[in-house]
Amino acid sequence: MYAEDLAPENCLVIKLLRSPHAHAMIRSIDTSKAKLVPGVECVLTYKDVPQHRFTQAGQTYLEASPYDRYILDRHLRFVGDEVAIVAADTEKAANKALKLIKVEYDILPAILDYRESLDNEILIHPEEDWTESDWSHGDNKRNSVYHEDIHVGDVDAIFAECDEVLEESYHTIEDQQAMMEPFTANCWMDTFGRLVIQSATQIPFHVRRNMATALGIPKSKIRVIKPRIGGGFGAKQTAVVERFPAVVTWLTGKPSKIYYTREETMIAGSARHEMRVQVKLGAMKDGTIRAIEMHVLSNTGAYGEHGPTTIGLAGHKSIPLYGGKYEAFRFVADTVYSNHPSAGAYRGYGAPQGIFALENTVNLMAARLGIDPTKIREMNMLHEGDLMTAYNNETANACALDQCMARCKEMMDWDNKFPAKVLPNGHIRSVGVAMAMQGSCINYIDEANVTIKMNDDGFYSLLVGSTDMGTGSDTILAQMAADVLECDVDDIVAYGVDTDVSPYDSGSYASSTTYLTGNAVVKAAEQLRLNITEQAAKILECQKDEVEFDGKVLTCVRTGASMTLKDLANQLQGGSDGWLSVTAGGNSPVSPPPYMVGMAEIDLDPETGKVVPIKYTTCVDCGTVVNPNLARVQTEGGLMQGLGMALYEGQSYTDEGVNRMRNFLQYKIPTRMDIPEIEVDFRESYEPTGPFGAKSIGEIVINTPSPAIAHAIFNATGVMHHELPITAEKVWRGIQQKKQEEVQA
Amino acid sequence: MEIKVKLNGKWIVDNIDPDMLLLDFCRAHYCKSVKRGCETSNCGLCTVWLDGKPVLSCNVLAARADGHEVTTLEGLQEEAKEFGMFLAREGGEQCGFCNPGFIMNVLAMKRELDNPTDEEILEYLAGNLCRCSGYASHMRAIHKWLDSKKEAAQREDHIPENREKMLAHRLSKRTQKHW
Ligand code: FES
Ligand code: FES
């Protein structure tokens, strides 16, 4: 059962009026006619709703996002920005009312090219009550939401000593998470006059905070329930729709719901940040990489949200891959506003953009130096024990990147296939390679807590605050608890998130569920185990360290007396002193990265530019693999999204800033006809800080396809594409241009 | 208008708007397995059976089902559960949002095609999108499930026959759009 399936019967249906302009002010708005439509409960404009600046992003304290939104604003900042809310008994009535709202706009000049945004005289957030986040160094009077400039060593001095220096610029565009369940939420008032928000969200606790801020009411007045959710991939790490039913129900006292259309999900959702990534790479003739410099400009769109936090990953989760050798790096990052829809979180969270740029440049460098691209990586890659200066100065405790490379080469038969072969039909078969890394949580910041209770008969309830966003994480967590308690997974009942009941968790993101929440589960389960033996010792009249527990029976090793867990649990139903439940958790000072190597083999038709991936091999080091089937499917799913991103997915706009991609006809995601042969393998390193040695896997898997495919296309055509997606048309053009250049030369 | 529909084996009489979609009709009658994922007939989440044939319920008027038999996942619990086990075992049930529509089509395929080849399976199910799984696990599950059903005696090749059925299936899909 998903959020919409559980919405209260007969609740109000909400529909939204959206701005037709990329940048405008509402001059006047007349809702009188709309309100007359039978069945219409209310029509709300900026004049009718509380005005408190807030953010929709789900970010852990310290607040990382600027407060730059109202529930509804007079100032409209993208095509699709919300102008008015209609709530009615039926969808029909709501739609009819929408058409009767009369709005006059003052159209403002817009910034549709984010490269022109910084210090532009057009300001997207000129407002005086714009509040900066706690640490992002943004400035609304410059259209900036984030700035960072860090370095280790003197890059310029080292570049001057290098035999070869490459400077390349890349462009990645907004792509859609395209989770199958659109954005949706519903609300009602409970018997105590509190607002209940039932939402398909990855961040229930942040929804509570954000909505309290938006409505200007205490957090204690809000309860957020998260049922099963139909995919998120980061999209639902932003509270995209919650404010609409929240304000309607808060003002009317009646239950209400919203279920976005696919079109709304695509034009007013939370797509991946568009970025320009400029890379400068210095190496010696023998292939030693000595210095890396990266400048990133990110387009957050109309609102700040995840803009300050995604961009860092472009550098922090790409540069350390070469941490084995380089002597200096510099990373400069700016995130700016524009009149595009607000960007958000999408699997990889900034890392795919940086990795695409850096890996392409390394592949170009290998070609320039005439070195096999896998060799240049073997020479320079990160090894266990290396210090990752571009990654919070953490040490790579567990890293099997070298083994992943060796295994992946074997699976692909790289040495025989690299670089390319022409088939009798004129098509070209070629291969490409890329490496990737990610994090396992946000260190020191993310927080996971878990409660495990023992019930009568000795079965357990597991309460986690982290949400299963459709990745099977509840299964993995239950499995971990079952391992510690030596019981069957079926003896553990996992409970969805309810902010009234569940222990606090910063949310399902940054790949943190297995690592951080997993650690909390193990901690809680171990404590509960101790408590169980302690209680049994009292009854068996012995010392607690004399009691052995095999998951079912407790035995005193000295006297041989024993009792079942079931008896113990039932006896303790009366007169126990509260030990039956344990809450444990905390954060982590480190975020140990998973690593991987991916290789693509493609079939390229030079006549049309059509690229068909025929084989993808990948080897992942995610620490100990807790559940091989789920890890494998996570990898396959991520790879398919990555292939979509590489070859055809991406938003595009008209000159007026209108989204061209509004549905699945226009925005193609991979279907089952598009799957190449995928081979997945794991090389396990043991991460000492992780639960059973595990790290994360959820995000990293999307990172390699774009650069590996770009590399394969380069090996087939001699053209390295610097912009995603690499459509057939671009490939064809590249080939023609190359031909012309050759003729001229 | 009044319609009479046999929904999962039970006749229902209801008064509906003439433009009500079959999808909304099913959900209104507590068949919440029927999901909506798009407005352009591209996702397959809303697949139900009309007189035993899979249709996209977002693309069919409820009025069209008047006097006919509609089956949703709720009406096929046993079979769905069996295939669902195979899917879960392969890790192919992730968020699960695509599953009801997908399973309806898999079960329809089983009825329509004997010994389908991989291409036929892929083609039959091409309209069912899944964003989580990457599809490979679906294929593994289907193979294992079909193998478990197959009796040794039936292991002959029916490919040519299948091709014709496939064609008929695709053509029938095309005509559905004009309903
Ligand atoms: S809802 Fe997408 S095909 Fe019917
Ligand atoms: S399992 Fe999530 S869309 Fe298929």
Side-chain angles (χ1 to χ4, degrees):
Chain A
M1 285 290 214
Y2 299 81
E4 170 78 2
D5 306 339
L6 298 163
E9 290 281 313
N10 301 322
C11 64
L12 297 170
V13 179
I14 295 174
K15 289 281 160 189
L16 304 170
L17 182 68
R18 299 181 176 280
S19 168
H21 306 294
H23 202 189
M25 281 284 178
I26 298 175
R27 189 190 314 148
S28 69
I29 183 161
D30 177 4
T31 59
S32 53
K33 284 228 177 69
K35 283 180 180 154
L36 295 178
V37 175
V40 168
E41 177 74 23
C42 63
V43 181
L44 304 175
T45 70
Y46 70 93
K47 295 178 206 158
D48 312 305
V49 298
Q51 299 276 296
H52 305 282
R53 292 267 170 216
F54 74 109
T55 178
Q56 294 187 156
Q59 306 266 25
T60 324
Y61 182 82
L62 305 165
E63 185 60 78
S65 309
Y67 284 13
D68 58 2
R69 269 193 194 268
Y70 286 149
I71 294 174
L72 292 173
D73 201 339
R74 234 193 103 203
H75 190 165
L76 305 166
R77 298 178 175 88
F78 69 94
V79 177
D81 212 351
E82 293 83 10
V83 174
I85 305 171
V86 176
D89 295 345
T90 62
E91 191 175 336
K92 253 192 192 164
N95 280 330
K96 192 164 175 202
L98 277 188
K99 295 205 183 91
L100 296 172
I101 302 173
K102 278 226 167 57
V103 196
E104 288 180 312
Y105 299 96
D106 287 321
I107 298 173
L108 304 172
I111 302 176
L112 294 171
D113 184 343
Y114 69 116
R115 290 169 302 183
E116 293 162 6
S117 177
L118 200 62
D119 292 322
N120 196 309
E121 61 186 32
I122 303 165
L123 286 184
I124 298 185
H125 285 275
E127 61 269 12
E128 290 307 321
D129 57 351
W130 183 89
T131 317
E132 208 205 324
S133 76
D134 292 340
W135 50 266
S136 58
H137 316 291
D139 181 353
N140 60 324
K141 299 287 152 70
R142 300 188 59 205
N143 285 330
S144 159
V145 286
Y146 183 75
H147 177 71
E148 171 181 358
D149 187 347
I150 57 161
H151 68 277
V152 167
D154 181 348
V155 274
D156 291 325
I158 307 245
F159 282 134
E161 290 172 14
C162 287
D163 294 334
E164 285 286 355
V165 176
L166 281 180
E167 273 192 84
E168 304 286 329
S169 179
Y170 302 88
H171 180 207
T172 63
I173 61 176
E174 295 134 312
D175 35 28
Q176 300 283 341
Q177 298 86 351
M179 62 288 171
M180 284 298 120
E181 180 194 38
F183 295 104
T184 180
N186 47 74
C187 292
W188 64 92
M189 301 301 290
D190 73 7
T191 41
F192 306 105
R194 296 168 74 226
L195 175 67
V196 185
I197 304 174
Q198 179 163 255
S199 155
T201 181
Q202 293 169 234
I203 44 155
F205 287 93
H206 302 317
V207 168
R208 183 172 70 182
R209 184 183 74 225
N210 295 348
M211 290 307 113
T213 311
L215 292 166
I217 62 175
K219 294 190 186 85
S220 60
K221 286 270 176 210
I222 298 180
R223 170 181 177 193
V224 180
I225 302 172
K226 183 225 73 121
R228 188 168 188 196
I229 78 175
F233 314 113
K236 294 167 183 170
Q237 200 177 324
T238 304
V240 172
V241 295
E242 285 81 347
R243 71 188 201 269
F244 306 115
V247 74
V248 166
T249 296
W250 185 252
L251 294 179
T252 64
K254 299 188 178 172
S256 66
K257 68 172 181 181
I258 189 159
Y259 190 85
Y260 263 14
T261 59
R262 181 56 55 184
E263 176 166 309
E264 287 177 297
T265 299
M266 289 212 173
I267 65 166
S270 58
R272 188 188 296 289
H273 289 77
E274 174 182 28
M275 288 188 195
R276 180 186 67 197
V277 188
Q278 294 161 306
V279 181
K280 192 169 173 184
L281 185 73
M284 304 308 282
K285 281 210 172 67
D286 69 354
T288 310
I289 292 174
R290 294 187 58 195
I292 302 172
E293 184 172 350
M294 189 182 274
H295 291 250
V296 187
L297 182 69
S298 169
N299 178 8
T300 191
Y303 299 96
E305 295 175 353
H306 291 276
T309 38
T310 39
I311 187 167
L313 279 77
H316 303 308
K317 290 179 183 163
S318 62
I319 298 171
L321 287 168
Y322 297 94
K325 281 278 164 61
Y326 72 74
E327 295 149 63
F329 83 88
R330 181 165 177 222
F331 176 62
V332 185
D334 281 287
T335 306
V336 295
Y337 284 120
S338 76
N339 292 113
H340 277 190
S342 178
Y346 180 10
R347 204 173 202 165
Y349 206 71
Q353 294 96 316
I355 287 172
F356 173 66
L358 182 59
E359 288 298 274
N360 279 356
T361 313
V362 169
N363 283 328
L364 284 171
M365 181 63 87
R368 173 76 64 91
L369 297 172
I371 302 176
D372 183 310
T374 59
K375 296 265 156 51
I376 199 171
R377 288 185 168 79
E378 282 159 359
M379 283 177 68
N380 293 285
M381 70 169 58
L382 185 77
H383 285 88
E384 205 153 285
D386 286 343
L387 187 69
M388 298 179 281
T389 50
Y391 190 82
N392 313 312
N393 273 321
E394 280 183 27
T395 303
N397 275 331
C399 174
L401 194 51
D402 48 350
Q403 295 172 42
C404 290
M405 179 63 84
R407 176 68 185 125
C408 204
K409 279 175 85 164
E410 205 174 277
M411 289 192 287
M412 182 52 88
D413 190 15
W414 176 268
D415 291 332
N416 280 320
K417 288 182 181 167
F418 173 75
K421 226 199 273 36
V422 182
L423 301 184
N425 65 1
H427 288 205
I428 306 169
R429 285 280 160 94
S430 61
V431 289
V433 59
M435 305 195 296
M437 62 184 285
Q438 198 76 38
S440 285
C441 64
I442 309 176
N443 47 328
Y444 287 116
I445 289 181
D446 280 345
E447 170 95 19
N449 293 290
V450 164
T451 302
I452 305 181
K453 325 191 267 184
M454 186 168 80
N455 306 298
D456 43 347
D457 280 3
F459 75 97
Y460 306 96
S461 307
L462 175 65
L463 277 75
V464 295
S466 86
T467 64
D468 188 333
M469 59 163 137
T471 56
S473 68
D474 282 353
T475 315
I476 291 183
L477 295 174
Q479 203 174 320
M480 286 179 174
D483 276 357
V484 174
L485 294 163
E486 292 184 63
C487 63
D488 213 65
V489 193
D490 294 338
D491 292 334
I492 305 217
V493 182
Y495 189 78
V497 185
D498 177 337
T499 55
D500 272 8
V501 181
S502 313
Y504 176 77
D505 190 288
S506 47
S508 239
Y509 51 80
S511 298
S512 65
T513 311
T514 311
Y515 177 72
L516 207 60
T517 314
N519 262 340
V521 167
V522 171
K523 219 158 132 187
E526 279 170 351
Q527 185 57 47
L528 184 61
R529 226 190 127 99
L530 285 179
N531 294 352
I532 290 171
T533 47
E534 203 173 317
Q535 291 298 325
K538 282 189 201 158
I539 296 171
L540 297 173
E541 293 173 342
C542 58
Q543 298 298 315
K544 63 179 179 212
D545 45 14
E546 292 170 342
V547 176
E548 254 177 21
F549 178 40
D550 68 0
K552 287 210 165 58
V553 181
L554 293 129
T555 315
C556 170
V557 283
R558 186 168 47 86
T559 63
S562 72
M563 70 186 305
T564 62
L565 179 68
K566 182 175 168 181
D567 286 343
L568 177 71
N570 290 341
Q571 277 188 36
L572 287 166
Q573 288 292 301
S576 101
D577 36 3
W579 64 273
L580 284 159
S581 119
V582 173
T583 299
N587 61 24
S588 165
V590 293
S591 170
Y595 307 92
M596 76 187 284
V597 175
M599 290 182 178
E601 183 180 16
I602 60 165
D603 179 286
L604 188 146
D605 179 357
E607 296 294 317
T608 60
K610 186 161 187 226
V611 173
V612 180
I614 51 176
K615 184 169 176 159
Y616 205 95
T617 62
T618 187
C619 186
V620 191
D621 161 18
C622 57
T624 306
V625 180
V626 181
N627 182 323
N629 268 348
L630 283 177
R632 181 171 178 190
V633 175
Q634 279 277 294
T635 310
E636 290 167 344
L639 288 178
M640 283 313 282
Q641 286 180 338
L643 288 174
M645 181 182 171
L647 290 170
Y648 32 82
E649 290 185 36
Q651 191 50 268
S652 80
Y653 297 86
T654 67
D655 293 343
E656 281 74 46
V658 181
N659 293 56
R660 285 209 183 88
M661 307 288 170
R662 310 175 78 83
N663 53 49
F664 284 143
L665 271 176
Q666 295 154 337
Y667 190 96
K668 297 267 186 228
I669 66 170
T671 73
R672 65 189 78 232
M673 308 298 276
D674 302 317
I675 35 175
E677 180 192 344
I678 296 180
E679 257 186 72
V680 182
D681 203 357
F682 299 93
R683 281 295 171 269
E684 300 191 350
S685 61
Y686 188 84
E687 171 52 46
T689 65
F692 308 114
K695 299 187 284 193
S696 74
I697 188 158
E699 290 186 279
I700 184 172
V701 289
I702 201 171
N703 294 341
T704 60
S706 302
I709 293 276
H711 187 213
I713 295 172
F714 172 73
N715 287 331
T717 64
V719 182
M720 180 62 89
H721 288 267
H722 287 63
E723 187 180 59
L724 292 178
I726 313 173
T727 57
E729 190 191 328
K730 286 188 198 163
V731 174
W732 185 83
R733 271 183 213 285
I735 295 171
Q736 303 312 313
Q737 219 172 329
K738 176 107 185 155
K739 270 189 196 155
Q740 253 172 24
E741 280 165 18
E742 277 165 8
V743 170
Q744 275 160 11
Chain B
M1 62 185 283
E2 193 180 278
I3 60 167
K4 198 170 159 223
V5 176
K6 192 172 182 190
L7 181 60
N8 293 326
K10 183 177 141 196
W11 283 102
I12 292 177
V13 181
D14 196 3
N15 214 325
I16 60 157
D17 282 346
D19 57 355
M20 186 185 214
L21 295 175
L22 183 56
L23 189 161
D24 294 314
F25 179 85
C26 293
R27 286 187 62 87
H29 289 93
Y30 303 100
C31 296
K32 303 275 188 185
S33 74
V34 188
K35 298 282 183 272
R36 173 181 263 121
C38 71
E39 301 84 57
T40 49
S41 314
N42 285 107
C43 72
L45 298 189
C46 61
T47 307
V48 302
W49 294 356
L50 185 60
D51 294 332
K53 292 269 176 299
V55 296
L56 298 174
S57 64
C58 68
N59 214 347
V60 176
L61 290 176
R64 170 77 210 188
D66 188 14
H68 293 268
E69 200 173 329
V70 174
T71 314
T72 71
L73 197 70
E74 283 83 356
L76 291 169
Q77 290 296 344
E78 284 294 296
E79 269 176 87
K81 205 167 148 198
E82 188 198 325
F83 175 67
M85 296 281 278
F86 281 86
L87 198 57
R89 230 172 277 150
E90 295 303 322
E93 181 175 328
Q94 293 265 299
C95 81
F97 206 71
C98 65
N99 279 358
F102 170 61
I103 294 177
M104 288 307 288
N105 228 6
V106 168
L107 298 181
M109 175 184 80
K110 177 76 178 54
R111 282 171 169 64
E112 216 171 305
L113 309 177
D114 302 318
N115 285 330
T117 64
D118 280 2
E119 283 76 47
E120 287 166 329
I121 295 174
L122 289 175
E123 194 136 327
Y124 198 99
L125 301 171
N128 292 91
L129 295 180
C130 171
R131 189 60 157 171
C132 301
S133 71
Y135 305 112
S137 52
H138 286 184
M139 211 54 184
R140 292 195 287 273
I142 291 170
H143 281 156
K144 289 190 182 164
W145 175 68
L146 288 179
D147 283 351
S148 79
K149 305 243 120 184
K150 215 182 276 173
E151 289 166 24
Q154 292 180 329
R155 278 184 186 265
E156 318 152 34
D157 223 349
H158 289 301
I159 292 170
E161 210 178 301
N162 265 331
R163 290 239 183 277
E164 255 158 57
K165 283 188 186 172
M166 280 301 304
L167 195 63
H169 163 72
R170 278 162 69 195
L171 289 175
S172 78
K173 279 220 156 167
R174 206 154 296 157
T175 42
Q176 276 161 29
K177 304 229 162 166
H178 300 295
W179 275 11

